[in-house]
mmCIF file of all heavy atoms in Angstrom:
data_model
loop_
_atom_site.group_PDB
_atom_site.id
_atom_site.type_symbol
_atom_site.label_atom_id
_atom_site.label_comp_id
_atom_site.label_asym_id
_atom_site.label_seq_id
_atom_site.Cartn_x
_atom_site.Cartn_y
_atom_site.Cartn_z
ATOM 1 N N ARG A 1 -8.786 -15.396 -4.391
ATOM 2 C CA ARG A 1 -9.051 -14.058 -4.923
ATOM 3 C C ARG A 1 -9.195 -13.043 -3.796
ATOM 4 O O ARG A 1 -8.707 -11.919 -3.899
ATOM 5 C CB ARG A 1 -10.293 -14.080 -5.802
ATOM 6 C CG ARG A 1 -10.023 -14.835 -7.111
ATOM 7 C CD ARG A 1 -11.178 -14.898 -8.046
ATOM 8 N NE ARG A 1 -11.754 -13.593 -8.267
ATOM 9 C CZ ARG A 1 -13.060 -13.408 -8.448
ATOM 10 N NH1 ARG A 1 -13.895 -14.398 -8.413
ATOM 11 N NH2 ARG A 1 -13.518 -12.200 -8.654
ATOM 12 N N ILE A 2 -9.846 -13.431 -2.711
ATOM 13 C CA ILE A 2 -10.006 -12.523 -1.573
ATOM 14 C C ILE A 2 -8.647 -12.246 -0.936
ATOM 15 O O ILE A 2 -8.317 -11.098 -0.628
ATOM 16 C CB ILE A 2 -11.004 -13.091 -0.549
ATOM 17 C CG1 ILE A 2 -12.415 -13.047 -1.126
ATOM 18 C CG2 ILE A 2 -10.937 -12.334 0.771
ATOM 19 C CD1 ILE A 2 -13.447 -13.775 -0.313
ATOM 20 N N PHE A 3 -7.843 -13.289 -0.766
ATOM 21 C CA PHE A 3 -6.511 -13.107 -0.191
ATOM 22 C C PHE A 3 -5.664 -12.175 -1.055
ATOM 23 O O PHE A 3 -5.019 -11.254 -0.547
ATOM 24 C CB PHE A 3 -5.795 -14.453 -0.030
ATOM 25 C CG PHE A 3 -4.366 -14.317 0.379
ATOM 26 C CD1 PHE A 3 -4.028 -13.987 1.682
ATOM 27 C CD2 PHE A 3 -3.350 -14.486 -0.547
ATOM 28 C CE1 PHE A 3 -2.705 -13.827 2.062
ATOM 29 C CE2 PHE A 3 -2.017 -14.338 -0.181
ATOM 30 C CZ PHE A 3 -1.700 -14.005 1.129
ATOM 31 N N LEU A 4 -5.675 -12.379 -2.381
ATOM 32 C CA LEU A 4 -4.883 -11.524 -3.265
ATOM 33 C C LEU A 4 -5.415 -10.090 -3.284
ATOM 34 O O LEU A 4 -4.647 -9.137 -3.361
ATOM 35 C CB LEU A 4 -4.847 -12.113 -4.674
ATOM 36 C CG LEU A 4 -4.048 -13.410 -4.813
ATOM 37 C CD1 LEU A 4 -4.201 -13.984 -6.214
ATOM 38 C CD2 LEU A 4 -2.590 -13.176 -4.479
ATOM 39 N N SER A 5 -6.721 -9.933 -3.187
ATOM 40 C CA SER A 5 -7.294 -8.579 -3.116
ATOM 41 C C SER A 5 -6.868 -7.872 -1.837
ATOM 42 O O SER A 5 -6.539 -6.680 -1.860
ATOM 43 C CB SER A 5 -8.820 -8.643 -3.199
ATOM 44 O OG SER A 5 -9.222 -8.998 -4.485
ATOM 45 N N LEU A 6 -6.869 -8.597 -0.730
ATOM 46 C CA LEU A 6 -6.398 -8.008 0.533
ATOM 47 C C LEU A 6 -4.918 -7.657 0.454
ATOM 48 O O LEU A 6 -4.483 -6.615 0.963
ATOM 49 C CB LEU A 6 -6.662 -8.957 1.695
ATOM 50 C CG LEU A 6 -8.119 -9.089 2.127
ATOM 51 C CD1 LEU A 6 -8.269 -10.179 3.180
ATOM 52 C CD2 LEU A 6 -8.651 -7.767 2.642
ATOM 53 N N LEU A 7 -4.140 -8.507 -0.191
ATOM 54 C CA LEU A 7 -2.719 -8.226 -0.375
ATOM 55 C C LEU A 7 -2.522 -6.951 -1.199
ATOM 56 O O LEU A 7 -1.709 -6.093 -0.841
ATOM 57 C CB LEU A 7 -2.028 -9.421 -1.030
ATOM 58 C CG LEU A 7 -0.520 -9.307 -1.218
ATOM 59 C CD1 LEU A 7 0.170 -9.206 0.136
ATOM 60 C CD2 LEU A 7 -0.008 -10.500 -1.999
ATOM 61 N N TYR A 8 -3.288 -6.816 -2.294
ATOM 62 C CA TYR A 8 -3.240 -5.586 -3.089
ATOM 63 C C TYR A 8 -3.596 -4.374 -2.230
ATOM 64 O O TYR A 8 -2.969 -3.323 -2.324
ATOM 65 C CB TYR A 8 -4.208 -5.649 -4.271
ATOM 66 C CG TYR A 8 -3.633 -6.216 -5.541
ATOM 67 C CD1 TYR A 8 -4.267 -7.254 -6.200
ATOM 68 C CD2 TYR A 8 -2.485 -5.692 -6.120
ATOM 69 C CE1 TYR A 8 -3.764 -7.774 -7.377
ATOM 70 C CE2 TYR A 8 -1.979 -6.193 -7.293
ATOM 71 C CZ TYR A 8 -2.623 -7.236 -7.917
ATOM 72 O OH TYR A 8 -2.128 -7.738 -9.086
ATOM 73 N N ALA A 9 -4.615 -4.501 -1.414
ATOM 74 C CA ALA A 9 -5.045 -3.382 -0.575
ATOM 75 C C ALA A 9 -3.968 -2.992 0.431
ATOM 76 O O ALA A 9 -3.677 -1.796 0.610
ATOM 77 C CB ALA A 9 -6.343 -3.740 0.150
ATOM 78 N N VAL A 10 -3.356 -3.967 1.075
ATOM 79 C CA VAL A 10 -2.289 -3.678 2.047
ATOM 80 C C VAL A 10 -1.100 -3.033 1.349
ATOM 81 O O VAL A 10 -0.533 -2.038 1.837
ATOM 82 C CB VAL A 10 -1.869 -4.964 2.794
ATOM 83 C CG1 VAL A 10 -0.591 -4.768 3.577
ATOM 84 C CG2 VAL A 10 -2.988 -5.422 3.714
ATOM 85 N N LEU A 11 -0.713 -3.563 0.195
ATOM 86 C CA LEU A 11 0.403 -2.976 -0.550
ATOM 87 C C LEU A 11 0.072 -1.571 -1.032
ATOM 88 O O LEU A 11 0.944 -0.685 -1.031
ATOM 89 C CB LEU A 11 0.780 -3.873 -1.725
ATOM 90 C CG LEU A 11 1.426 -5.201 -1.376
ATOM 91 C CD1 LEU A 11 1.611 -6.059 -2.618
ATOM 92 C CD2 LEU A 11 2.760 -4.988 -0.673
ATOM 93 N N ALA A 12 -1.161 -1.337 -1.437
ATOM 94 C CA ALA A 12 -1.569 -0.005 -1.889
ATOM 95 C C ALA A 12 -1.472 1.002 -0.756
ATOM 96 O O ALA A 12 -0.924 2.101 -0.928
ATOM 97 C CB ALA A 12 -2.989 -0.052 -2.446
ATOM 98 N N ILE A 13 -1.980 0.631 0.411
ATOM 99 C CA ILE A 13 -1.962 1.553 1.555
ATOM 100 C C ILE A 13 -0.534 1.805 2.026
ATOM 101 O O ILE A 13 -0.117 2.957 2.201
ATOM 102 C CB ILE A 13 -2.844 1.010 2.702
ATOM 103 C CG1 ILE A 13 -4.316 1.048 2.281
ATOM 104 C CG2 ILE A 13 -2.632 1.799 3.983
ATOM 105 C CD1 ILE A 13 -5.237 0.263 3.194
ATOM 106 N N SER A 14 0.232 0.743 2.221
ATOM 107 C CA SER A 14 1.606 0.922 2.725
ATOM 108 C C SER A 14 2.479 1.632 1.698
ATOM 109 O O SER A 14 3.295 2.492 2.053
ATOM 110 C CB SER A 14 2.214 -0.414 3.138
ATOM 111 O OG SER A 14 2.333 -1.279 2.024
ATOM 112 N N GLY A 15 2.325 1.308 0.422
ATOM 113 C CA GLY A 15 3.109 1.971 -0.622
ATOM 114 C C GLY A 15 2.771 3.446 -0.746
ATOM 115 O O GLY A 15 3.654 4.289 -0.893
ATOM 116 N N THR A 16 1.493 3.758 -0.673
ATOM 117 C CA THR A 16 1.068 5.155 -0.764
ATOM 118 C C THR A 16 1.605 5.961 0.421
ATOM 119 O O THR A 16 2.178 7.040 0.239
ATOM 120 C CB THR A 16 -0.464 5.249 -0.831
ATOM 121 O OG1 THR A 16 -0.917 4.545 -1.990
ATOM 122 C CG2 THR A 16 -0.919 6.693 -0.896
ATOM 123 N N LEU A 17 1.435 5.426 1.616
ATOM 124 C CA LEU A 17 1.912 6.144 2.811
ATOM 125 C C LEU A 17 3.424 6.338 2.803
ATOM 126 O O LEU A 17 3.922 7.426 3.112
ATOM 127 C CB LEU A 17 1.477 5.410 4.079
ATOM 128 C CG LEU A 17 -0.014 5.426 4.384
ATOM 129 C CD1 LEU A 17 -0.321 4.576 5.614
ATOM 130 C CD2 LEU A 17 -0.515 6.845 4.571
ATOM 131 N N SER A 18 4.171 5.305 2.456
ATOM 132 C CA SER A 18 5.633 5.435 2.485
ATOM 133 C C SER A 18 6.140 6.373 1.392
ATOM 134 O O SER A 18 7.059 7.166 1.633
ATOM 135 C CB SER A 18 6.309 4.065 2.385
ATOM 136 O OG SER A 18 5.909 3.397 1.222
ATOM 137 N N ASN A 19 5.547 6.347 0.211
ATOM 138 C CA ASN A 19 5.972 7.269 -0.842
ATOM 139 C C ASN A 19 5.620 8.711 -0.501
ATOM 140 O O ASN A 19 6.418 9.625 -0.745
ATOM 141 C CB ASN A 19 5.366 6.866 -2.184
ATOM 142 C CG ASN A 19 6.089 5.707 -2.813
ATOM 143 O OD1 ASN A 19 7.292 5.767 -3.024
ATOM 144 N ND2 ASN A 19 5.367 4.645 -3.098
ATOM 145 N N VAL A 20 4.431 8.920 0.062
ATOM 146 C CA VAL A 20 4.047 10.270 0.483
ATOM 147 C C VAL A 20 4.995 10.763 1.581
ATOM 148 O O VAL A 20 5.394 11.933 1.588
ATOM 149 C CB VAL A 20 2.572 10.308 0.938
ATOM 150 C CG1 VAL A 20 2.240 11.580 1.677
ATOM 151 C CG2 VAL A 20 1.654 10.128 -0.267
ATOM 152 N N MET A 21 5.388 9.880 2.492
ATOM 153 C CA MET A 21 6.296 10.269 3.569
ATOM 154 C C MET A 21 7.669 10.682 3.020
ATOM 155 O O MET A 21 8.234 11.688 3.456
ATOM 156 C CB MET A 21 6.476 9.131 4.570
ATOM 157 C CG MET A 21 7.259 9.543 5.802
ATOM 158 S SD MET A 21 7.600 8.241 7.010
ATOM 159 C CE MET A 21 6.206 7.192 6.927
ATOM 160 N N VAL A 22 8.182 9.934 2.057
ATOM 161 C CA VAL A 22 9.474 10.292 1.464
ATOM 162 C C VAL A 22 9.381 11.656 0.781
ATOM 163 O O VAL A 22 10.250 12.518 0.962
ATOM 164 C CB VAL A 22 9.942 9.207 0.469
ATOM 165 C CG1 VAL A 22 11.132 9.684 -0.350
ATOM 166 C CG2 VAL A 22 10.292 7.922 1.209
ATOM 167 N N ILE A 23 8.328 11.869 0.006
ATOM 168 C CA ILE A 23 8.159 13.161 -0.679
ATOM 169 C C ILE A 23 8.042 14.289 0.342
ATOM 170 O O ILE A 23 8.671 15.350 0.195
ATOM 171 C CB ILE A 23 6.937 13.108 -1.614
ATOM 172 C CG1 ILE A 23 7.194 12.132 -2.762
ATOM 173 C CG2 ILE A 23 6.597 14.496 -2.143
ATOM 174 C CD1 ILE A 23 5.968 11.822 -3.602
ATOM 175 N N TYR A 24 7.265 14.087 1.382
ATOM 176 C CA TYR A 24 7.100 15.101 2.425
ATOM 177 C C TYR A 24 8.438 15.425 3.089
ATOM 178 O O TYR A 24 8.765 16.597 3.300
ATOM 179 C CB TYR A 24 6.094 14.610 3.464
ATOM 180 C CG TYR A 24 6.066 15.470 4.706
ATOM 181 C CD1 TYR A 24 5.465 16.720 4.700
ATOM 182 C CD2 TYR A 24 6.677 15.036 5.880
ATOM 183 C CE1 TYR A 24 5.457 17.518 5.828
ATOM 184 C CE2 TYR A 24 6.674 15.819 7.012
ATOM 185 C CZ TYR A 24 6.072 17.056 6.991
ATOM 186 O OH TYR A 24 6.084 17.841 8.108
ATOM 187 N N LEU A 25 9.208 14.412 3.439
ATOM 188 C CA LEU A 25 10.484 14.646 4.115
ATOM 189 C C LEU A 25 11.463 15.411 3.235
ATOM 190 O O LEU A 25 12.149 16.319 3.703
ATOM 191 C CB LEU A 25 11.104 13.318 4.565
ATOM 192 C CG LEU A 25 10.393 12.631 5.726
ATOM 193 C CD1 LEU A 25 10.971 11.245 5.961
ATOM 194 C CD2 LEU A 25 10.483 13.475 6.980
#
């Protein structure tokens, strides 16, 4: 459960940053 929660957190951060970057560009 901890591993999957960390995976969700990493995907949330990387997905948010990359989508915001595409919109900004």
Side-chain angles (χ1 to χ4, degrees):
R1 290 181 50 215
I2 290 171
F3 172 75
L4 291 174
S5 289
L6 287 173
L7 183 63
Y8 270 127
V10 168
L11 291 174
I13 292 167
S14 63
T16 300
L17 291 176
S18 57
N19 282 304
V20 166
M21 188 183 327
V22 169
I23 293 170
Y24 169 75
L25 289 172

